[in-house]
Amino acid sequence: MADGRSGLESLETGAAGREKRAGRIALHWWILGALVLGAVVGIGLNLFWTQATWAGIGIQDSKAFLSHADVNGSVGGGVKATAASVNDPGVVAYGVRFVIEFGQFVGDLFVRLLRLVAIPVVLFSLLAAVGGVGNPRDLGKLGARTLGIFAVTAVLAVTIATALALVVNPGRFVTEEARQKLMALQASTAEVRQQAAADFAKSNTIWSQILDIFPSNPMAALATGNVLQVVIAAVLFGIGLTLIDQEKRRAALTWCEALADAGLRLVGLILMGAPVAVFFMTAAIASTMGWSVLAGAAAFMLTVLLGMGLILVAVYPSVMRLLTPARGPNGEPRLTAREVWKALLPAQVLAFSSSSSTATLPATMACCDAMGLPKRVTRFVCPLGTTINMDGTAMYQVLCVTFLAQIFGVPLGTGDYVTIALMGILVAVGSPGLPGASLVLMVFILEAVNVPAQGIAIIIAVDRLLDMARTVVNVTGDAAASVVVAQGEREVVSADGSRVG
Ligand code: ASP
């Protein structure tokens, strides 16, 4: 790392910033602390806040009360009050509801602001990065390197997932009773997802799906937040920029760079609110999670977490070590995994609590900047990676499909494993970086290898926590790829942004 600072601290540059920082706890520790505290509070509420607690503050039907549907026996919002559901809230109940709603508001606002910045950052970063490369040969080299490293880590992720599925065989730990219980829990949601997948398949041939990547109206892609289409439009316009008059190109690039920088600065400000938002988001998830149902699928969840852990502590560090030179042109040592992880911690925590790699993107880029990686690399690799490089998602797809095959007793041959792995990578490429985004697409893999698609109900029941974990891997993968591409180019910049390579 350029100077041992984390991604967030680097947003506060200059001597004044350094003085202000001295003797202060760095923001990333606040965020991490908020995550832990949020989890503890959430789990505590989950365990100890029971129906009796609600009754104690005058609430018989908490669902109706929280949705403002049923107060003092009055019926609103189409919910019919029964004797058992009549609420008689006191001031404490209103206080509790206020805190819950305030927490939700803070979390939603935070993620909304991050996503607000994400789309312009994708657009302007890619325009600046592609348009700034200059000649098509360099662009081709940068693109090929980036796609190459994405492919290497994706193949490693699905290979490890397949090995884990075969060795651990988590399906054997699920009793028939637990399977039925898990299936019943989310059966209706699973039906909706199956239907969505069927509709998608019916109205989309492979050609129309490829066609759909290319926006006919880039403004519509921006307006609807279709990140993949925005990426394609930005890359094409970036190429267009390399073909125009130098002076005009420079002017356009200056604008794009300025706007991308402005976006990242904005993120620096938004992230000041991260500790509070992360606390509420984590507490909300932990307090509403069905912890008891998780026990039935504990072996599966542990296998997934083990797989994700292996990617983080073994695959990425090895790839970064093996694919980058030991020393830069000025004799500086290569970034160690520890340095990379330290700088990336804020983005990882955000990924964990938001389950969205798109919302986390601006923070990922800020963290990569703090490592001293050249902007022309991070601005290309990170937005592209957020869209198509999702190793956590690829690994998850393989583990889920093989797990369901195991519990439904569907035998899988070598060809099936290869199909699952390849389709897992494709699903990861096609998934948007949003919470739970890859779940719908899993139906296609299940059908391809004849595993009952309604089994997805079991996955939905346990998905929340695992989505958080795979999003951390997805985001870390983008940073690791940036390190490999940047250091492979032997261009690391110093903290003040000047090139030392
Ligand atoms: N939540 C994941 C992400 O944003 C996508 C997924 O696998 O559902 O990276």
Side-chain angles (χ1 to χ4, degrees), residues 354-359 386 390 392-394 396-397 431-439 463 467-468 470-472 474-475:
S354 71
S355 293
S356 169
S357 37
T358 302
T386 301
M390 296 196 181
T393 298
Y396 187 62
Q397 295 284 325
S431 283
L434 298 171
S438 57
L439 266 185
D463 184 63
D467 191 9
M468 298 159 90
R470 68 180 180 264
T471 308
V472 173
N474 291 345
V475 163

Side-chain angles (χ1 to χ4, degrees), residues 3 38 47 79 119 143 158 212 272 301 343 383 426:
D3 64 351
L47 291 177
V79 176
I119 296 284
V158 292
D212 204 37
M272 296 297 161
M301 296 184 71
L426 284 180

Side-chain angles (χ1 to χ4, degrees), residues 187-200:
S188 54
T189 320
E191 257 172 47
V192 174
R193 306 248 175 160
Q194 268 176 273
Q195 193 51 48
D199 291 346
F200 180 80

Side-chain angles (χ1 to χ4, degrees), residues 1 5-9 26-33 35-36 271 274 278 312 337-353 360 363-364 366-368 370-371 472 475-476 479:
M1 192 160 40
R5 290 180 294 157
S6 85
L8 298 182
E9 289 163 279
L27 188 53
H28 63 267
W29 291 119
W30 282 105
I31 301 178
L32 198 61
L35 181 91
V36 175
L271 290 183
V278 166
L312 291 177
R338 213 176 144 266
E339 287 170 324
V340 172
W341 282 190
K342 186 178 171 217
L344 199 63
L345 189 63
Q348 289 174 323
V349 175
L350 283 185
F352 188 75
S353 47
T360 310
T364 314
C367 292
C368 285
M371 291 172 212
V472 173
V475 163
T476 308

